[in-house]
Amino acid sequence: MADPRGHAADREALGGSSLHLVGVGDVSKRILLGRKLRSSQLGETLLSKRIALPVFASDALSSVAYAPDEIFIMLSLAGVSAYTMSWQVGLAVAVMMTAVIASYRQTVHAYPSGGGDYEVAKVNLGPTAGTTVASALLVDYVLTVAVSISAAAHYASSGLGALQGHETVLAVLLIGLLAALNLRGVRESGLYLAVPTYLFMASVLGMCAYGLFRLAQGTLPRAESAGLEILEAPGYDGELTTVALLLLLARAFSSGCAALTGVEAISNGVPAFRKPKSANAATTLALLGAIAVTMMMSVIVLAQQMDVRMVDPFQFDRLVDGAGNPVAEQHALLAQIARGVFEGFPPGFYLVVMITGVVLTLAANTAFNGFPVLGSILAEDGYLPKALGSRGDRLAYSNGIVFLGGMSVALVIAFDAQVTRLIQLYIVGVFVSFTLSQLGMVRHWTRNLSLTKDAAERRRMHRSRAINAIGMSMTGAVLVVVLITKFTYGAWITVLVMGFFFLVMRRVHHHYEEVALELAVDEEDRVMPTRVHAIVLVSKLHKPTLRALAFAKATRPNVLEAVYVDTDRVATQQLVRAWDERDFDVPLKVLHSPYREVTRPIVEYAQAIRRASPRGVVAVYIPEYVVGRWWEQLLHNQSALRLKGRLLFAPGVMVTSVPYQLESSQVARERVAREQDRVKAGDLRRGRVVDEDEGRQVRR
Amino acid sequence: MADPRGHAADREALGGSSLHLVGVGDVSKRILLGRKLRSSQLGETLLSKRIALPVFASDALSSVAYAPDEIFIMLSLAGVSAYTMSWQVGLAVAVMMTAVIASYRQTVHAYPSGGGDYEVAKVNLGPTAGTTVASALLVDYVLTVAVSISAAAHYASSGLGALQGHETVLAVLLIGLLAALNLRGVRESGLYLAVPTYLFMASVLGMCAYGLFRLAQGTLPRAESAGLEILEAPGYDGELTTVALLLLLARAFSSGCAALTGVEAISNGVPAFRKPKSANAATTLALLGAIAVTMMMSVIVLAQQMDVRMVDPFQFDRLVDGAGNPVAEQHALLAQIARGVFEGFPPGFYLVVMITGVVLTLAANTAFNGFPVLGSILAEDGYLPKALGSRGDRLAYSNGIVFLGGMSVALVIAFDAQVTRLIQLYIVGVFVSFTLSQLGMVRHWTRNLSLTKDAAERRRMHRSRAINAIGMSMTGAVLVVVLITKFTYGAWITVLVMGFFFLVMRRVHHHYEEVALELAVDEEDRVMPTRVHAIVLVSKLHKPTLRALAFAKATRPNVLEAVYVDTDRVATQQLVRAWDERDFDVPLKVLHSPYREVTRPIVEYAQAIRRASPRGVVAVYIPEYVVGRWWEQLLHNQSALRLKGRLLFAPGVMVTSVPYQLESSQVARERVAREQDRVKAGDLRRGRVVDEDEGRQVRR
């Protein structure tokens, strides 16, 4: 059918995506081979180590802003005297960190595809372990947002006194802002992540270096809280038994292990690295580990030397001044150290505090990026609705972001934005995925060893397996410690939610498997229908109807009828007259509808045709208007939609929509084009980045 | 394609709606002629006058529960002395009532189709007047719910002291209950409406008769509030000027006119009456008027004789006891009269109060019935989305009910369930539609007079026109009075909302007209596409795909290809291998998708085909799963839905859904069948009632 606007509209149909008017052969070749620019763009857009470090490091490095604090807070239960053990606890955490980093260096070599812990567990330990890790990771993303943003809010209030006491509101607003930005589609660029992260590293490491220098000089000042006294918690007063002391150290250690969160991010992001991908990722991991350990140990040493005093913010009455009066507030370690080290130089203090808040917010943003990506991987494996697996589905992405935002806001409100409380929930999930993933790696090497004869190769594998085995034993031990020390303090919530996610994913997977079974092909399915009985639905005699008639006629069915539902005698007579006048060669069938229903008579008629000829097929052609604005959509096609929904249940009936594009549809067409080219959360980390010149998205 | 379950499924497809397995000829005759039982069921299900009276009267009669109260409350501004004028005000309202009833008796004769005020105004005065009346009626429905339910809540608290002070909560709960019942689909039966309404008439009229008898005997007791004193409102103390007195009487009169609401209900319901429809409706109207006037005047006389004292509940401090202390509460007139007349016989009091509350609730229910019916009429005329015009669209009905419930709950909360306040908003809309409808009737008779020569006929028309002219002048005058006396007290809100509805309806209508213009047929539209290029989308090799292939093949297109989007190299290779093994005679085309998108490559491919052959048409066949449960729906077809949405914007492309019914789709099929046979709000009043034996719906 000739549409005078056809050509022009085609050319504009997808915005910039069809650059030239080309023949089918040309286009299909182009589609089959992919766009020409693709390989040349590749090199420019993948991440160098220099840029990859800040892109993936914000989560892991930012934990120095709260993990050392938690060590001091836990030790404070037994009073200031326990602080002497802080550096030992810190050292234990640093050893853990080294082991975990070493383990993940093996993973990035073995799994360069970026599946991360989930892929490792699934491939090597089976679907149950995979689903368990996935549940843990989903919970982790929520807690990363809640913990990082709560900490960021506290840093903001350390810098800006006016915010003091409004940390929860501030945290909720920050999460809302992040969710909104990600819903809108923020273009993450390496530069925009690199500047604050490098600034953070520089200022924190610089502060520590200057502090240690002053310590060596003997001019290190005392912290603002140095003059305060800590009252021991009930049960911790007096001499501690060995068991109680060990338990206290274990609790402090497992809280300190919060420093390990975010290390696994690089293992998910290998595809985004430049070649050699795995080697570069492994180097970046080592660098990340070195920086994280240096920062954490420096902070712990400085804090102890400056006589910092911290208690659980829910037990503030245990922190008293010389006269025995409780104090009103306490600041984070980094803030206290910065204020001391940079005394007389306020810009130094403000820089550290502000940049820490920014990097914590970036860390939360990594969760907003990672959550939909993990969702899409799980969807591809059939554990979540398949639609989540398609990058194009904005709705699926949006639901993920809204879900993540909502859950973390709920946590922040429930725990009053108190990092010390949220940490109790955090570590369980992290260590579940660490442990299962290392166990999977051990299996991986064992299997590969049985396949290789090459001695050098086998030696390398033996070494890797040893590293992963050590990592697994250590993370497994910590998992047990964490479960014991934190279960009643909140970890049970994590376990519960993980269980819920686990069951949902199992149920979804079970459904897909059942459907696959029901749909498996057998020989009978190749029988072709003997005849096609086409009916074109007529509601009025206008262009869409004529187009549907023409299209239906073009398919040359065995029978072709136009069908009209009579709900109003006068209108029916008018239509019949108009039909006869225009002298169509298609008969018009009028279905009487005594109750003025439209759907039912058509469905019944289609079913009756099919019953009369069970080996034939009924083709129902529905003319549809295509409009551009949401409210216009409400004004049209509702009956067509309902009818299509009902006809789906009739066997042997297929339904054809014949669209007629009204002028206003151009609005929607442009919206779709904009939408398709928009950046989605997580693109950068998956190596799917935007080339600034072309405005087109590229993937390895 | 042979489907082993095909036959059985067909038979069950629509529940009880296909009773026998019949051939096409048989079925289509049955559909064309309508069901055989229809005409015989008709007589039994239409309403006799005996049943029609209570069905349509609850709204009009229930206003005796609050309209007289408002007269006393308004007069109380000038102190108890003004109460002597209450019967004159009541008489004026009664005269208005008579005039309005007489006018509507003409309407039911002239418009037996039941279009009511909207149809009369639209036909005789044009679309602007019609839309104005429609806006007024929409607002009226909301206020009918708010006022009736607020009054019902106050009667409930008069009977049950425990509810005192919780009227707003109770009113909100009642509205929620009504909305829920109507969403669920309540079967209104004549009997279920007749019993309480007749009981209400009997108990109120009986109470009045007994009260008047005791008055004649000189044994009529004083009301519970008789001992109280009323302080004049500021501005009304001292001697009133004539203007101030007239204004006071006007305000009391216009509040009393609340008694007239609901009279027009019968004019909307003529089709539901037995033959002769119009005569029966007119008789019922006269009866209704007589009962309403009798009730109202008796209540006013008794209230004055019993020395009832009432003030505006927002000025409670104006009602004081002998010692000058304000009282805590006041009861409605009917409650006070019942307590007095039936002193020493509590069951009498409780019967009156309870049955009044029930009938007020039924009155609110009429709005829940009328609102979707009016919506469907407006939709048919193109003033609201067309989908509302289809009885089958449960969603449209639901939206109407939720909207009505939400709006009335908002009003009840905003005005604290105070009838006196809500009345200020109520009357404007009622009199707008009264006046415009009477004006329309005058036009109607004038036009008909010019067409008729018969003398007797002309005499009747002249008489009718005179009655409608009187009605119009009186309601017009009252409208002016109401606007003057109530505008600043809340009527401005009504005017504002009416204006909003008016604009929305105009905008919608304008859109439909524009679209109709754009879609008007010209000669060019009959060109038939020269060739059909069919592509069948393949995601997996399973039954739905095979069915889609078979159906597409049956249409014998010029070109037939299967199309697969390659997002994963391994899966693609597997599919290609399986395709070759099964030795299909359809070529498989693989579209490469570097960004793992599914939608865009297909849309681009379809557009490219169309561009290469602009006179051809592209037929895209999409295999779809049909599942039964909502969560299953989330797990399937999301990509198909998105793709269909995008393809609609591509000119020259038609999209065919080939459904494959999974076993679980039976669940949904049964739900649809239940849904279709369910009673919808407003059915009874439109003469669309359910025959108990058949369970099938019938219409005139």
Side-chain angles (χ1 to χ4, degrees):
Chain A
M1 169 169 288
D3 181 347
R5 289 174 297 108
H7 269 109
D10 269 356
R11 233 168 296 168
E12 293 156 31
L14 283 161
S17 74
S18 333
L19 298 170
H20 311 286
L21 195 70
V22 285
V24 176
D26 194 355
V27 163
S28 55
K29 198 184 79 193
R30 194 162 65 95
I31 294 172
L32 288 167
L33 299 179
R35 287 189 187 73
K36 282 168 199 146
L37 281 171
R38 205 164 55 89
S39 44
S40 65
Q41 286 172 328
L42 205 64
E44 300 165 53
T45 48
L46 289 182
L47 305 174
S48 64
K49 278 174 289 190
R50 248 195 344 266
I51 298 294
L53 178 65
V55 165
F56 294 107
S58 61
D59 188 6
L61 292 184
S62 67
S63 51
V64 77
Y66 50 83
D69 304 50
E70 298 307 317
I71 297 176
F72 281 86
I73 287 173
M74 279 302 145
L75 291 176
S76 80
L77 288 173
V80 171
S81 60
Y83 276 6
T84 51
M85 291 175 294
S86 62
W87 69 269
Q88 284 130 314
V89 174
L91 208 61
V93 173
V95 170
M96 274 306 300
M97 171 83 88
T98 312
V100 168
I101 295 268
S103 295
Y104 275 101
R105 280 167 53 90
Q106 313 311 313
T107 305
V108 297
H109 280 292
Y111 290 90
S113 56
D117 293 340
Y118 166 70
E119 187 182 338
V120 171
K122 186 190 71 174
V123 170
N124 296 297
L125 305 174
T128 304
T131 318
T132 309
V133 169
S135 322
L137 289 174
L138 290 175
V139 173
D140 270 2
Y141 279 125
V142 176
L143 282 159
T144 298
V145 175
V147 168
S148 302
I149 290 293
S150 296
H154 282 278
Y155 275 91
S157 80
S158 293
L160 275 168
L163 295 173
Q164 197 94 39
H166 306 290
E167 287 87 356
T168 306
V169 176
L170 182 61
V172 170
L173 289 178
L174 273 174
I175 294 173
L177 183 72
L178 280 182
L181 284 175
N182 280 287
L183 284 173
R184 178 75 191 71
V186 193
R187 175 172 300 178
E188 270 201 334
S189 79
L191 199 69
Y192 126 92
L193 288 166
V195 172
T197 310
Y198 275 123
L199 197 57
F200 172 74
M201 292 187 221
S203 51
V204 172
L205 288 175
M207 174 186 79
C208 291
Y210 183 49
L212 293 172
F213 169 76
R214 290 185 70 171
L215 177 61
Q217 298 266 308
T219 63
L220 187 67
R222 299 185 75 201
E224 61 190 65
S225 59
L228 303 177
E229 274 176 50
I230 291 177
L231 308 178
E232 287 128 16
Y236 290 95
D237 35 2
E239 199 65 31
L240 287 185
T241 63
T242 314
V243 174
L245 184 67
L246 280 176
L247 206 61
L248 179 71
L249 289 175
R251 284 188 71 186
F253 167 71
S254 58
S255 281
C257 279
L260 274 68
T261 59
V263 181
E264 76 290 356
I266 290 179
S267 72
N268 296 318
V270 187
F273 279 82
R274 287 211 188 136
K275 288 181 180 168
K277 291 174 185 293
S278 294
N280 282 335
T283 311
T284 310
L285 252 174
L287 208 58
L288 172 67
I291 297 171
V293 167
T294 310
M295 279 186 176
M296 185 185 61
M297 288 312 294
S298 311
V299 166
I300 290 175
V301 169
L302 283 173
Q304 204 193 326
Q305 293 300 326
M306 292 169 74
D307 292 329
V308 168
R309 304 281 180 260
M310 291 192 89
V311 297
D312 186 332
F314 281 89
Q315 306 178 341
F316 244 174
D317 48 353
R318 286 180 35 230
L319 195 64
V320 294
D321 62 15
N325 302 316
V327 296
E329 48 169 1
Q330 70 181 6
H331 292 122
L333 278 192
L334 276 187
Q336 295 201 31
I337 294 173
R339 200 185 289 278
V341 169
F342 294 125
E343 65 176 345
F345 182 61
F349 164 75
Y350 284 108
L351 176 67
V352 169
V353 166
M354 274 169 48
I355 199 66
T356 305
V358 170
V359 168
L360 282 165
T361 309
L362 291 181
N365 197 45
T366 62
F368 277 102
N369 278 278
F371 196 79
V373 173
L374 177 62
S376 76
I377 294 172
L378 289 170
E380 277 163 32
D381 286 350
Y383 289 104
L384 287 178
K386 297 263 187 201
L388 293 170
S390 156
R391 188 184 168 278
D393 194 348
R394 182 143 198 91
L395 200 64
Y397 265 72
S398 305
N399 285 338
I401 290 165
V402 169
F403 181 79
L404 177 60
M407 296 264 289
S408 47
V409 161
L411 278 179
V412 164
I413 292 177
F415 292 92
D416 207 16
Q418 289 298 352
V419 176
T420 306
R421 282 288 169 276
L422 288 165
I423 286 280
Q424 314 298 318
L425 282 70
Y426 197 8
I427 324 287
V428 183
V430 179
F431 277 87
V432 165
S433 51
F434 278 169
T435 308
L436 285 175
S437 143
Q438 302 316 324
L439 178 61
M441 287 307 295
V442 173
R443 281 264 189 101
H444 168 85
W445 298 121
T446 307
R447 201 182 55 241
N448 279 25
L449 273 170
S450 72
L451 300 172
T452 309
K453 296 263 176 277
D454 181 69
E457 187 79 5
R458 286 180 66 84
R459 242 190 334 273
R460 261 201 307 282
M461 288 184 180
H462 270 295
R463 199 179 58 97
S464 293
R465 184 169 68 169
I467 293 173
N468 284 127
I470 295 170
M472 184 203 72
S473 332
M474 290 176 68
T475 53
V478 174
L479 177 60
V480 172
V481 170
V482 168
L483 274 175
I484 292 172
T485 56
K486 297 195 180 298
F487 194 80
T488 54
Y489 294 97
W492 63 271
I493 301 174
T494 311
V495 173
L496 212 68
V497 176
M498 273 177 58
F500 174 74
F501 286 158
F502 183 85
L503 289 177
V504 166
M505 287 192 272
R506 288 294 286 261
R507 187 80 193 82
V508 168
H509 197 252
H510 178 69
H511 171 79
Y512 280 127
E513 280 186 331
E514 270 189 340
V515 167
L517 216 64
E518 196 179 336
L519 297 184
V521 167
D522 51 46
E523 272 320 303
E524 201 182 355
D525 297 312
R526 301 193 56 172
V527 183
M528 205 178 95
T530 50
R531 63 203 301 273
V532 179
H533 186 134
I535 60 179
V536 178
L537 302 188
V538 177
S539 62
K540 281 213 186 72
L541 200 59
H542 52 23
K543 283 170 186 279
T545 304
L546 296 191
R547 179 176 289 185
L549 270 174
F551 280 20
K553 226 190 272 182
T555 67
R556 289 183 297 274
N558 303 75
V559 182
L560 174 61
E561 298 174 306
V563 166
Y564 177 75
V565 179
D566 164 26
T567 56
D568 178 288
R569 197 161 306 172
V570 180
T572 307
Q573 281 162 359
Q574 279 174 355
L575 184 89
V576 170
R577 220 172 12 246
W579 194 269
D580 292 343
E581 273 167 20
R582 291 188 64 90
D583 196 25
F584 287 107
D585 48 356
V586 177
L588 177 69
K589 180 149 216 152
V590 176
L591 300 181
H592 188 56
S593 174
Y595 322 121
R596 311 190 51 244
E597 291 166 312
V598 177
T599 309
R600 198 202 298 232
I602 295 169
V603 173
E604 289 182 355
Y605 184 59
Q607 288 179 317
I609 294 170
R610 159 84 171 170
R611 268 196 298 272
S613 157
R615 296 210 154 263
V617 60
V618 183
V620 180
Y621 288 83
I622 305 182
E624 277 187 50
Y625 312 150
V626 183
V627 288
R629 301 179 191 88
W630 66 266
W631 60 268
E632 292 178 331
Q633 195 55 45
L634 290 181
L635 299 179
H636 298 285
N637 299 329
Q638 302 298 318
S639 315
L641 272 177
R642 187 169 57 243
L643 182 62
K644 285 197 280 186
R646 296 278 161 84
L647 283 173
L648 286 180
F649 294 105
V653 176
M654 59 180 170
V655 183
T656 303
S657 303
V658 182
Y660 185 93
Q661 291 85 11
L662 285 164
E663 275 160 27
S664 82
S665 69
Q666 189 56 28
V667 180
R669 207 181 286 185
E670 283 157 11
R671 192 173 53 230
V672 165
R674 273 199 309 278
E675 189 56 50
Q676 282 185 326
D677 284 325
R678 189 177 273 174
V679 177
K680 304 283 191 302
D683 280 354
L684 181 69
R685 281 151 223 273
R686 303 202 79 193
R688 196 188 269 148
V689 280
V690 171
D691 182 273
E692 306 288 336
D693 303 325
E694 278 292 309
R696 317 248 338 108
Q697 287 164 351
V698 184
R699 193 166 191 269
R700 99 202 101 101
Chain B
M1 170 169 286
D3 179 347
R5 289 173 297 109
H7 270 105
D10 269 357
R11 235 167 295 170
E12 294 158 30
L14 282 160
S17 74
S18 334
L19 300 170
H20 311 286
L21 194 70
V22 285
V24 175
D26 194 354
V27 162
S28 55
K29 199 184 80 195
R30 194 162 65 96
I31 293 173
L32 287 167
L33 298 179
R35 288 192 185 72
K36 283 170 199 145
L37 282 170
R38 204 164 55 90
S39 46
S40 65
Q41 287 172 329
L42 203 65
E44 302 165 52
T45 49
L46 290 183
L47 306 173
S48 64
K49 278 174 290 191
R50 253 199 335 273
I51 298 292
L53 179 64
V55 165
F56 293 108
S58 62
D59 188 5
L61 291 184
S62 66
S63 52
V64 77
Y66 50 83
D69 306 48
E70 297 307 317
I71 296 177
F72 281 86
I73 286 173
M74 279 301 146
L75 291 176
S76 79
L77 287 173
V80 171
S81 60
Y83 276 7
T84 51
M85 291 175 292
S86 62
W87 68 269
Q88 284 129 313
V89 174
L91 210 59
V93 173
V95 170
M96 275 306 300
M97 172 85 87
T98 312
V100 168
I101 295 269
S103 296
Y104 274 101
R105 280 167 53 89
Q106 312 313 312
T107 305
V108 298
H109 280 293
Y111 289 89
S113 58
D117 293 340
Y118 166 69
E119 187 182 340
V120 171
K122 186 190 70 173
V123 171
N124 296 297
L125 305 174
T128 304
T131 317
T132 309
V133 169
S135 322
L137 289 174
L138 291 175
V139 173
D140 270 3
Y141 280 124
V142 175
L143 283 160
T144 299
V145 175
V147 168
S148 302
I149 289 295
S150 295
H154 282 277
Y155 276 91
S157 80
S158 292
L160 276 168
L163 296 173
Q164 196 95 38
H166 305 291
E167 286 87 357
T168 305
V169 176
L170 182 61
V172 169
L173 289 178
L174 274 173
I175 294 173
L177 183 72
L178 280 182
L181 285 175
N182 279 287
L183 283 174
R184 178 76 191 69
V186 193
R187 177 170 300 180
E188 271 202 333
S189 80
L191 199 69
Y192 126 90
L193 288 167
V195 171
T197 311
Y198 276 122
L199 195 58
F200 172 72
M201 291 189 222
S203 52
V204 171
L205 288 174
M207 174 186 79
C208 292
Y210 183 51
L212 293 171
F213 168 77
R214 290 185 70 171
L215 176 63
Q217 298 266 307
T219 62
L220 186 67
R222 300 184 76 201
E224 60 188 65
S225 59
L228 303 177
E229 272 176 51
I230 292 178
L231 307 179
E232 286 128 17
Y236 289 94
D237 36 2
E239 200 64 33
L240 287 186
T241 63
T242 314
V243 174
L245 185 67
L246 280 176
L247 207 61
L248 179 70
L249 289 175
R251 285 188 70 185
F253 167 73
S254 59
S255 280
C257 280
L260 274 68
T261 59
V263 182
E264 78 289 355
I266 290 179
S267 73
N268 295 320
V270 186
F273 279 82
R274 287 209 188 138
K275 285 182 181 171
K277 290 176 185 293
S278 293
N280 282 335
T283 310
T284 310
L285 252 175
L287 208 60
L288 172 66
I291 298 170
V293 167
T294 310
M295 279 186 175
M296 184 183 62
M297 289 310 295
S298 312
V299 167
I300 289 175
V301 168
L302 283 173
Q304 207 195 324
Q305 294 299 326
M306 293 168 75
D307 293 330
V308 168
R309 303 283 180 260
M310 290 192 91
V311 297
D312 186 332
F314 279 89
Q315 306 176 341
F316 244 174
D317 48 353
R318 286 178 36 230
L319 195 65
V320 293
D321 63 16
N325 301 317
V327 296
E329 50 169 0
Q330 69 182 6
H331 292 122
L333 279 191
L334 276 186
Q336 295 203 31
I337 294 173
R339 199 184 290 277
V341 169
F342 293 124
E343 62 175 347
F345 181 61
F349 165 76
Y350 283 108
L351 176 67
V352 169
V353 167
M354 273 169 49
I355 197 68
T356 304
V358 169
V359 168
L360 281 166
T361 309
L362 291 181
N365 197 44
T366 62
F368 276 103
N369 278 278
F371 196 79
V373 173
L374 177 62
S376 76
I377 293 172
L378 289 171
E380 278 164 30
D381 286 349
Y383 288 103
L384 287 179
K386 298 262 186 204
L388 292 170
S390 155
R391 187 181 169 282
D393 193 347
R394 183 144 198 89
L395 200 63
Y397 264 71
S398 306
N399 285 338
I401 289 165
V402 168
F403 181 79
L404 177 60
M407 295 264 289
S408 47
V409 161
L411 278 179
V412 163
I413 292 175
F415 291 92
D416 207 16
Q418 290 298 352
V419 177
T420 307
R421 282 287 169 276
L422 289 165
I423 287 279
Q424 315 296 322
L425 282 71
Y426 197 7
I427 324 285
V428 184
V430 179
F431 277 86
V432 166
S433 52
F434 278 169
T435 308
L436 285 175
S437 144
Q438 302 315 326
L439 178 61
M441 287 306 296
V442 172
R443 281 264 189 102
H444 169 83
W445 298 122
T446 307
R447 201 181 56 242
N448 278 26
L449 274 170
S450 71
L451 300 173
T452 309
K453 295 267 177 269
D454 182 66
E457 187 78 5
R458 288 180 63 85
R459 245 193 327 277
R460 262 201 307 282
M461 287 185 178
H462 270 293
R463 200 177 58 96
S464 293
R465 185 170 66 170
I467 293 173
N468 283 127
I470 295 171
M472 184 202 72
S473 330
M474 291 176 67
T475 52
V478 175
L479 177 59
V480 172
V481 171
V482 168
L483 274 175
I484 292 172
T485 57
K486 296 194 180 300
F487 193 80
T488 54
Y489 294 96
W492 64 271
I493 301 173
T494 313
V495 173
L496 212 69
V497 176
M498 272 175 60
F500 174 74
F501 284 159
F502 183 85
L503 289 178
V504 167
M505 286 192 274
R506 289 295 287 264
R507 188 79 194 82
V508 168
H509 197 251
H510 177 69
H511 172 79
Y512 280 127
E513 281 186 331
E514 270 189 340
V515 167
L517 214 64
E518 197 178 336
L519 298 184
V521 167
D522 50 47
E523 272 321 301
E524 200 182 356
D525 297 312
R526 301 192 58 172
V527 183
M528 205 178 96
T530 49
R531 64 204 300 273
V532 179
H533 187 135
I535 59 179
V536 177
L537 301 188
V538 177
S539 62
K540 279 212 186 75
L541 201 59
H542 51 24
K543 282 171 187 277
T545 302
L546 294 192
R547 179 176 289 185
L549 269 174
F551 280 19
K553 226 189 273 184
T555 67
R556 290 181 299 273
N558 303 75
V559 182
L560 175 60
E561 299 175 304
V563 167
Y564 176 75
V565 179
D566 163 26
T567 57
D568 178 288
R569 197 161 304 173
V570 179
T572 306
Q573 282 163 358
Q574 280 173 354
L575 184 89
V576 171
R577 219 170 15 247
W579 193 269
D580 292 342
E581 273 167 20
R582 289 188 64 90
D583 196 24
F584 288 106
D585 47 357
V586 177
L588 176 69
K589 179 148 215 150
V590 176
L591 299 182
H592 187 56
S593 173
Y595 321 122
R596 309 190 54 243
E597 290 167 312
V598 177
T599 309
R600 196 202 295 233
I602 295 169
V603 173
E604 288 182 355
Y605 184 58
Q607 287 179 320
I609 295 170
R610 160 82 172 170
R611 267 196 298 274
S613 156
R615 297 211 151 264
V617 60
V618 183
V620 180
Y621 289 83
I622 306 181
E624 276 187 50
Y625 312 150
V626 184
V627 289
R629 302 178 191 88
W630 67 266
W631 61 266
E632 290 178 330
Q633 195 55 46
L634 290 181
L635 298 180
H636 298 286
N637 298 328
Q638 302 298 321
S639 315
L641 271 177
R642 189 171 52 243
L643 181 61
K644 285 198 279 184
R646 296 278 161 86
L647 283 172
L648 286 180
F649 294 105
V653 176
M654 58 180 173
V655 183
T656 302
S657 303
V658 182
Y660 187 94
Q661 291 84 12
L662 286 163
E663 276 160 28
S664 82
S665 70
Q666 189 57 28
V667 180
R669 209 181 285 186
E670 283 156 11
R671 191 174 55 230
V672 165
R674 273 199 309 278
E675 189 55 51
Q676 282 185 328
D677 284 325
R678 188 176 273 174
V679 178
K680 304 282 190 306
D683 280 354
L684 181 68
R685 280 151 222 272
R686 303 203 79 195
R688 197 189 268 149
V689 282
V690 171
D691 182 271
E692 306 287 339
D693 303 326
E694 277 291 310
R696 315 254 331 112
Q697 288 166 349
V698 184
R699 192 166 191 267
R700 100 199 100 104

